[in-house]
Every structure is written in structure tokens, then in C-alpha cells.
Amino acid sequence: MKNLCWLATGGTIASRPSENGLVPGFTAQEMLDLLPQLKTYGNIDCYDIMQLDSTNLQPKDWQYMAHFIEKFYNKYDGFVITHGTDTLNWTSCALSCMLENLAKPVVVIGAQLTIEEENTDAKENLNASFAVASSGLAGVYAVCGGQVISGLWAKKLYSEDMRSIQSVNTLPIATFKGNDINWIQTECVAVNGEFKVHYELEEKVVQIKIMPGLDCEVLFALTKMGYKGIVLEAYGAGGIPFSEDKAKDISGAIKQLTEQGVVIVCTTQCVYDGVHMNRYEVGIKAIKAGVIPAGKLTSEAATVKLMVALGQKMTREQIKELF
């Protein structure tokens, strides 16, 4: 029998009604008591480490989750983290970047309905999560909306639909419905060294969405406030405006900021396909100005990757290699 660790952090899955709406209230043990069949996957120990609506999640909470994974790493064969769906993709991306040489499954799971509601998705999501946690597949995974997703590629696409979290720009590891799991990928992530947690996170990183009329002064103001990294959500394949009007010349601003040591990464406002910045003049000029294309990564994944890299004091050239 596998030894499995359940880390409860709150979220809709664990919520109960209150005078102010749904709030986290169920403990992990109470949820396990409602679904005793989960014990067929192994011996499950429950830990309530937070009671958090994931909207209120902060980077320190990623560090706290990582602390428990490190603390219990040698005791358990797999980990399940129950979580809210609003920032589940952020947490799965963060842990993917923070947990180096992870040789065990870490599964971050949410639900659109509470565990006690009729027709809840919580039960099948939990079943799939513990199936993954007991599978021996190394890596961080997000489970929700009928998919088991490699953590770095999870994105919330729906605010109400049960398919809330989906795999973007790569196939899911598995799909599931009820108790039926269809495995698509079963290869473990390569592990080359000892397990290590990167707790250092540079929080002075910000996302900016490019829009018609955006003034360069916004970017310069952020750096005056001490921001060390900027993730730009560009148009389409990575289009960033340039102009003879210096106030609107975003590419010109990128050049100045890069020369000042600010690291600027480019993603797209599109959900799928990523950036391809060597195709159009508006992308090529931005690359020459110093922007780092994020490829097919989502904005969340690129942002967290940049936070971790800057936290480790990587140089711009080292960061460029990560993308």
C-alpha cells in the first residue's frame, strides 16, 4: 500500500455556506470520511495547513505548501493538495518551478462545487487525484475539469463550467469521468539529482496587458517602484507596438528598461499557440530591444518561472535559457 499525504488548503471543494457566502470549512479528514473509497489507493494521512479561499492566495502560501512537501518528502509516496480553482493554475505552475528533481507525484486539485453539494465534481476529481498520487508518476499535476494536467500547462478557462481547469498547448496526462481514467501519457519526468525546494521568490514581478493607447510611462513607473521583472501579454503571435511617438513606443521602452537590468518576458493574450516573435516586424523589433519570448507558456507559467529565476539571482542570459 502506498503512503499518501493529503494537504488541505481550503477552496470551494471544502466550503460550507455562511452568512457571507461560501467559505472553507471542511477538514481533509471530514472529506475523507465522506469518500472512504479513496483509501483503496493507499494509507492517507490528512493535514489541514490552511483554510483559504484561493482568491486570497499569496506567494508565501506557495512557500508554505512547498515546506510541507519538503518536510514529509521521505515519508510519503505521493501528495494531494486540495485547493480553490481560482488560483489552482498559479499554484501548480509555482510548485512546478519551485520543486526541483521531484521524484514523486504532487497533485493540486479543485472543484467547482462543494463536496456536499448534489452533482458535485469534487468526488470524481478527488478520485482522479489519488489515482495519480498513488501512480508513481513524478511531477506536479493539476486535476480538475476532467483532465490530469502537467502543472506548468494548467489554465482556468471557465468560471462556472465543470471544465474549469484545462491543459493548454500540450496534451493532458489523462482524462477522466467518474471512476474511469484514460491515461494518455505515463512517462515520468526525468530526475537528475537530489530533491530541492527553491523558496526564493522575487515578488517584484508584474503582468501588463498590451492595449491600444498604453503609455510607456506605466512601464517606467513600475521600475521606479522597484519591479525587477515584467511579463507583457502581447497581441497575437507576440506583437508589441513601436512608434515614432516615444510615449507609445513600447519596443523603445523595452530597450531602455532592459539596459537598466529589468527582465521583460513576452506572452500572448491568446489562450492557445503561444508567441512566435520571429514572424512579424512588431515581434522582431521587440526581440532586438531585449524582450524574452515565452514560447507556448501561459502568462501564469511565465510569470512564476520569472519569479523563481529572479529569486535565484539568475542573470538575464540564464533566464533566457529557461524560456
Side-chain angles (χ1 to χ4, degrees):
M1 292 285 283
K2 297 289 181 73
N3 293 316
L4 306 175
C5 178
W6 184 338
L7 301 175
T9 71
T12 296
I13 191 171
S15 287
R16 287 183 161 121
S18 79
E19 61 181 14
N20 294 316
L22 291 174
V23 295
F26 277 96
T27 67
Q29 185 61 55
E30 286 172 334
M31 289 188 281
L32 181 58
D33 290 342
L34 290 173
L35 294 171
Q37 64 269 27
L38 295 177
K39 296 177 184 177
T40 60
Y41 291 109
N43 302 310
I44 301 172
D45 289 337
C46 298
Y47 302 88
D48 298 293
I49 63 173
M50 303 175 206
Q51 284 281 31
L52 185 73
D53 185 308
S54 73
T55 293
N56 292 324
L57 179 137
Q58 299 295 328
K60 66 180 177 63
D61 299 312
W62 300 331
Q63 294 166 328
Y64 197 54
M65 294 176 211
H67 159 73
F68 279 94
I69 293 168
E70 182 177 42
K71 179 180 179 180
F72 295 139
Y73 189 73
N74 294 322
K75 184 177 180 180
Y76 295 105
D77 300 301
F79 299 82
V80 171
I81 302 174
T82 44
H83 197 288
T85 60
D86 282 352
T87 54
L88 187 151
N89 54 329
W90 282 93
T91 294
S92 65
C93 287
L95 293 178
S96 296
C97 296
M98 294 170 68
L99 305 179
E100 183 179 351
N101 292 318
L102 177 65
K104 301 178 180 184
V106 172
V107 187
V108 190
I109 170 230
Q112 292 289 75
L113 297 176
T114 72
I115 195 165
E116 64 180 354
E117 287 185 81
E118 187 177 359
N119 298 320
T120 180
D121 55 334
K123 295 177 181 179
E124 66 175 17
N125 289 355
L126 278 165
N127 183 73
S129 295
F130 278 95
V132 177
S134 64
S135 70
L137 284 175
V140 176
Y141 302 97
V143 170
C144 197
Q147 293 189 359
V148 178
I149 304 159
S150 184
L152 202 60
W153 302 96
K155 191 173 182 69
K156 184 165 185 175
L157 298 184
Y158 300 93
S159 63
E160 292 290 326
D161 196 288
M162 298 296 189
R163 299 169 296 166
S164 57
I165 308 292
Q166 295 287 293
S167 185
V168 172
N169 292 332
T170 190
L171 287 174
I173 301 300
T175 59
F176 62 90
K177 187 173 184 180
N179 292 326
D180 297 324
I181 300 176
N182 174 36
W183 295 96
I184 298 170
Q185 301 181 49
T186 55
E187 284 191 18
C188 287
V189 176
V191 176
N192 300 305
E194 293 185 6
F195 174 66
K196 180 180 180 181
V197 178
H198 295 288
Y199 287 105
E200 309 86 355
L201 296 170
E202 177 53 68
E203 293 190 38
K204 287 291 187 179
V205 173
V206 66
Q207 287 183 8
I208 296 292
K209 187 186 292 286
I210 300 290
M211 58 173 282
L214 179 66
D215 198 303
C216 295
E217 190 58 36
V218 172
L219 303 181
F220 294 127
L222 289 168
T223 59
K224 290 175 184 176
M225 295 166 61
Y227 281 85
K228 299 177 181 178
I230 298 173
V231 175
L232 290 177
E233 288 192 357
Y235 303 125
I240 294 179
F242 64 86
S243 174
E244 293 182 3
D245 179 354
K246 289 187 178 181
K248 308 300 180 186
D249 185 14
I250 305 299
S251 282
I254 289 170
K255 186 174 188 301
Q256 293 181 56
L257 294 172
T258 299
E259 290 171 350
Q260 294 172 23
V262 180
V263 180
I264 303 177
V265 174
C266 181
T267 65
T268 175
Q269 296 172 27
C270 302
V271 174
Y272 298 103
D273 297 336
V275 293
H276 306 274
M277 298 185 70
N278 58 354
R279 186 175 300 168
Y280 299 100
E281 183 183 22
V282 287
I284 292 171
K285 278 184 176 289
I287 291 175
K288 289 180 178 179
V291 80
I292 298 173
K296 291 190 174 183
L297 290 179
T298 65
S299 296
E300 296 92 331
T303 302
V304 173
K305 190 179 278 278
L306 184 55
M307 291 172 72
V308 174
L310 289 172
Q312 294 179 64
K313 310 299 182 185
M314 288 187 179
T315 65
R316 182 185 174 280
E317 289 306 310
Q318 287 174 319
I319 293 171
K320 187 176 180 181
E321 291 299 314
L322 294 177
F323 289 92

